[in-house]
Amino acid sequence: MTPPLVSVKVATYNHEPYIGQCLDGILAQKTAFPFEVIVGEDCSTDGTRAIVESYARAHPAVVRLVAADANVGPARNLARIRAACRGRYEALCEGDDFWIHPRKLQRQVEFLEAHADCGYCFHDVLQYQEDKRARPRYYCPRDLPEFPGVADVLRWPQFIATCSVVARREFLETLPAWRTGLLCGDLVVRLWGPHVGRIGYLPDVMAVQRNHAGGMNTVFGHRRMAEAAIQAYRLFDEATGGRYAKTIRDRIRFEQQYIRFGPLAYLLHPSKAAARVKRGLAGAGL
C-alpha cells in the first residue's frame, strides 16, 4: 500500500454534535495522493467515541483512532496523534471545525511543493459564533500579503486558524520542545514559521472555525488565554534572542490591557479597534 502523503490530525473531546461534519469534510477531499486521518479521541463523556469508531469501521484504510481509557488533555492528545502520523505533510482540523472545499488539501500541497522555503501554508476561513448566531466573519485581514512575516503575525495573531494549516513534517520537527507544554502552543507554530523561513497564504475560504460554549476560548476565558499568550510571546522572544523584542513588548502590553479591561482594551488602541470593526462588518454567508 502506498504510504500517505498527508496526515490529517483530528483532536476531539465532547464534540458529539460536530465530529461527523468534521470527518465528512475531510473524507470528501479530492486529491491526487493518498492521505490518512488520525483521530485522537480524549475519553469524551458524550457520544463522540462511538461516532469516531463508526467512521473508523466504515473507512479502515483511511481513518485511524488513537484513544485511551483516561483523559490526557489537549497537549498530550495532540502529541500522541502526531506520533501516529506517517505523512510528509500534516494538516489539523479540530473536531468542532470543518472543511468546506473538496480540493483544500490538493491546493495546499501544490502550493508547498512550489515553494520549498515555506514551512507551512494556510488559507482564509469563516469564523462562526454559534452561541451568538451571528453571521460568519472572514478570519483573515483583507490586506494580508501572500507571504506574511513575524511582524504580521504579531500585529494580528488570530489570522491563522488551526483548521487552515498544512505544514511540512520537517518544519514541525524544528519547533522548540517547550511549545508542547503551552496552552497557546499553536501561537508558537504561527510565529516559528516566518522566523525560520516563510509561510504562505491562500486567500480562498476553505474551512469554518466554529466558536461555541464548549470551545477552549470560552472554557478558559479571555484572561487565561491572554496570560497563556504572554507566556508564549516571552518564550519566543527568549528563543529568538530578542530579534523581535520591540514588537513583542507592544503585543504583551496589549495582552496585559486585555486581561484587565477585556474587549475595552481595543479603545486604547484606535488602529486595532478600527481593524476589529472592519472585520466585523466584513461578514459572509455560509
Side-chain angles (χ1 to χ4, degrees):
M1 179 181 292
T2 305
L5 182 67
V6 179
S7 296
V8 182
K9 302 172 290 188
V10 179
T12 186
Y13 175 72
N14 283 356
H15 290 154
E16 182 178 2
Y18 316 120
I19 187 64
Q21 188 175 24
C22 170
L23 295 174
D24 286 341
I26 297 170
L27 293 171
Q29 292 297 299
K30 300 186 183 303
T31 63
F33 49 79
F35 64 89
E36 64 179 356
V37 184
I38 313 298
V39 184
E41 200 291 304
D42 200 13
C43 203
S44 298
T45 59
D46 61 7
T48 301
R49 173 78 63 94
I51 295 172
V52 173
E53 287 174 342
S54 70
Y55 274 82
R57 287 193 300 269
H59 307 275
V62 180
V63 179
R64 284 192 289 144
L65 173 62
V66 177
D69 295 329
N71 180 274
V72 298
R76 288 180 61 192
N77 188 33
L78 189 56
R80 66 185 181 183
I81 295 170
R82 275 221 70 217
C85 291
R86 298 175 294 165
R88 189 192 315 164
Y89 298 102
E90 295 181 19
L92 176 63
C93 189
E94 294 175 337
D96 50 353
D97 298 331
F98 58 101
W99 296 349
I100 57 176
H101 197 294
R103 291 182 60 80
K104 166 195 154 67
L105 285 182
Q106 183 69 40
R107 288 186 178 184
Q108 290 188 267
V109 168
E110 288 175 354
F111 183 93
L112 291 172
E113 294 278 303
H115 300 88
D117 58 342
C118 283
Y120 68 84
C121 66
F122 65 100
H123 55 77
D124 204 355
V125 310
L126 294 179
Q127 186 180 48
Y128 177 50
Q129 299 277 28
E130 183 179 78
D131 53 336
K132 298 179 180 177
R133 297 201 176 277
R135 65 175 182 166
R137 299 183 307 172
Y138 293 112
Y139 204 80
C140 296
R142 299 295 91 192
D143 59 347
L144 195 62
E146 184 179 14
F147 300 101
V150 171
D152 295 303
V153 179
L154 288 169
R155 178 170 61 94
W156 194 260
Q158 293 84 3
F159 70 71
I160 303 176
T162 56
C163 61
S164 74
V165 173
V166 174
R168 298 180 192 278
R169 186 183 185 93
E170 59 263 33
F171 160 70
L172 295 173
E173 290 172 349
T174 71
L175 291 168
W178 47 260
R179 176 190 68 90
T180 59
L182 299 179
L183 184 59
C184 286
D186 56 341
L187 176 57
V188 179
V189 178
R190 297 175 199 157
L191 289 164
W192 205 255
H195 168 64
V196 300
R198 288 202 301 175
I199 61 175
Y201 168 57
L202 288 70
D204 301 310
V205 175
M206 296 192 281
V208 173
Q209 183 194 62
R210 194 194 321 258
N211 291 348
H212 57 92
M216 278 186 59
N217 288 332
T218 304
V219 170
F220 289 103
H222 77 269
R223 288 182 175 83
R224 179 69 185 90
M225 295 303 293
E227 290 168 354
I230 290 172
Q231 181 187 18
Y233 289 133
R234 285 175 172 160
L235 288 170
F236 177 75
D237 188 37
E238 180 180 348
T240 56
R243 181 175 174 181
Y244 315 100
K246 182 181 183 305
T247 312
I248 289 175
R249 281 198 304 270
D250 292 343
R251 189 69 215 179
I252 288 177
R253 187 178 303 115
F254 174 78
E255 297 291 352
Q256 290 170 333
Q257 292 169 344
Y258 196 80
I259 291 171
R260 185 175 180 184
F261 302 112
L264 292 177
Y266 283 95
L267 298 179
L268 303 175
H269 301 267
S271 62
K272 287 185 172 64
R276 193 178 195 209
V277 171
K278 187 176 180 181
R279 287 183 75 221
L281 294 174
L286 279 174

